Amino acid sequence: MLSLNNLGVICISQALQHSPKLLAIRQCLSKASSRATLYNNSITFSSKGTRRHTGFRLLNESIVKHVSSLQRTFCTASAKLHCWNCGQSVEQTPAFFCLSCNFVQPPDERASYFLIMECDQTFALDTQRLQKTYLKLQRSLHPDNFSQKTVREQEYSEYQSALVNKAYRTLLKPLSRGLYMLELNGMGIEEGTDAGADPLFLMELMEINQALDEARSKEESAMIGASMKEKLKDLTEQIDASLHKGELQAAKALLAQMKYFANIEEKVKEKLSELM
């Protein structure tokens, strides 16, 4: 059986007593390592740390890669961050600037897009507030503000500005926001998987696409666009309710439908542009 020590997970164990988040990461590490099945022999070590048995191979190398990733997360989360310029500890997450010397900091990989944009982790977020936060962060982090600074500061401002852009674009629209929330829960929607879709739903999509192809006026195209907006609005409410209840599978199915209708909405915009 693989132990955490054998995988090189060397972190401060005392920190676990004070942080439920770190304990959860450690438990995840333990679970992942226990899934690494071995052929022929288990890995055992003598008191000197030398291997006693040979002839084994891992059944699933992806498990080991996952453990390594969790190992890095666990060790990063256990250590306090310090300002690269003055050395003072950086307590806030995410840390855009050091509160002591006001130097821009490197991006914090631990922070979710919701933390970066200073909003609650909820599907029904306030997009106006999101936009205000985005503009505020970009005013302070934009690379143009650091053109006379050191190369390191310029690089960090570019990284931070790009991260804020990505977080804003992801959370702005319901579809990308919902997919990101699924991702945070270890779920996703695979591309090109129509086999499990409802045949009636697929038929409805075909009819809408055909109607859009045959549309010869702006009015006809606009009617299809309005219909898509209503469907997307209804789906947004259903997804919000499912995520609020913690029904992730239901939310995933609804987001898959939203993806199709959002695609048709984009086609409508292209069609209207052609008919102008």
Side-chain angles (χ1 to χ4, degrees):
M1 180 68 68
L2 280 170
S3 69
L4 294 178
N5 287 334
N6 295 337
L7 289 171
V9 181
I10 305 173
C11 295
I12 304 172
S13 60
Q14 288 82 356
L16 294 171
Q17 300 173 4
H18 307 288
S19 175
K21 181 178 180 180
L22 295 184
L23 180 58
I25 295 174
R26 183 178 181 181
Q27 289 171 343
C28 190
L29 274 169
S30 178
K31 181 178 179 181
S33 64
S34 67
R35 291 174 58 196
T37 307
L38 303 169
Y39 282 125
N40 301 329
N41 291 300
S42 61
I43 301 176
T44 59
F45 292 82
S46 67
S47 58
K48 295 182 179 180
T50 57
R51 192 171 65 205
R52 292 177 181 170
H53 301 291
T54 58
F56 65 85
R57 66 187 180 88
L58 290 175
L59 178 62
N60 192 342
E61 293 182 358
S62 65
I63 297 299
V64 175
K65 292 179 182 178
H66 182 56
V67 170
S68 298
S69 175
L70 286 172
Q71 170 187 335
R72 290 192 297 271
T73 302
F74 178 68
C75 294
T76 301
S78 337
K80 285 186 177 181
L81 297 178
H82 292 82
C83 173
W84 62 272
N85 178 61
C86 68
Q88 293 293 318
S89 74
V90 179
E91 303 292 341
Q92 70 273 26
T93 300
F96 297 111
F97 294 91
C98 171
L99 297 180
S100 298
C101 66
N102 203 37
F103 270 56
V104 65
Q105 299 298 300
D108 188 348
E109 295 180 357
R110 301 172 300 173
S112 71
Y113 293 163
F114 290 97
L115 275 176
I116 291 171
M117 301 310 297
E118 302 173 9
C119 55
D120 296 332
Q121 188 170 316
T122 176
F123 185 70
L125 56 77
D126 186 343
T127 54
Q128 290 187 343
R129 179 183 173 185
L130 177 70
Q131 187 175 29
K132 288 180 180 178
T133 302
Y134 169 73
L135 294 174
K136 178 190 73 173
L137 291 174
Q138 286 296 12
R139 276 195 295 268
S140 60
L141 292 169
H142 198 278
D144 288 349
N145 299 332
F146 298 84
S147 59
Q148 303 302 316
K149 302 292 185 178
T150 64
V151 173
R152 195 169 186 178
E153 290 175 275
Q154 291 175 18
E155 289 179 349
Y156 287 159
S157 71
E158 289 176 4
Y159 297 153
Q160 291 279 25
S161 180
L163 181 60
V164 168
N165 273 331
K166 187 175 181 181
Y168 173 69
R169 289 196 306 269
T170 300
L171 299 184
L172 182 61
K173 294 186 177 181
L175 176 59
S176 53
R177 186 192 315 144
L179 293 174
Y180 178 65
M181 292 182 72
L182 285 184
E183 182 183 328
L184 291 178
N185 286 279
M187 299 177 66
I189 297 176
E190 297 78 12
E191 295 289 341
T193 53
D194 296 341
D198 181 4
L200 293 177
F201 173 69
L202 294 177
M203 183 64 70
E204 179 186 7
L205 292 175
M206 290 177 61
E207 291 174 353
I208 296 172
N209 277 302
Q210 183 177 353
L212 183 60
D213 289 339
E214 295 174 353
R216 293 294 178 265
S217 67
K218 291 188 294 183
E219 290 74 20
E220 290 177 303
S221 300
M223 285 181 61
I224 297 174
S227 174
M228 292 303 98
K229 286 185 181 299
E230 284 298 317
K231 288 181 181 294
L232 290 170
K233 181 181 177 182
D234 182 54
L235 282 170
T236 298
E237 294 174 355
Q238 293 183 57
I239 293 167
D240 182 38
S242 296
L243 288 172
H244 185 72
K245 296 175 184 176
E247 298 172 350
L248 297 180
Q249 289 296 339
K252 179 179 178 179
L254 292 168
L255 280 164
Q257 292 185 24
M258 176 178 275
K259 198 170 183 179
Y260 285 110
F261 288 130
N263 184 44
I264 295 176
E265 186 180 41
E266 289 301 314
K267 290 181 180 179
V268 169
K269 293 177 182 178
E270 294 176 5
K271 185 81 172 187
L272 287 171
S273 176
E274 293 173 1
L275 295 171
M276 291 295 288

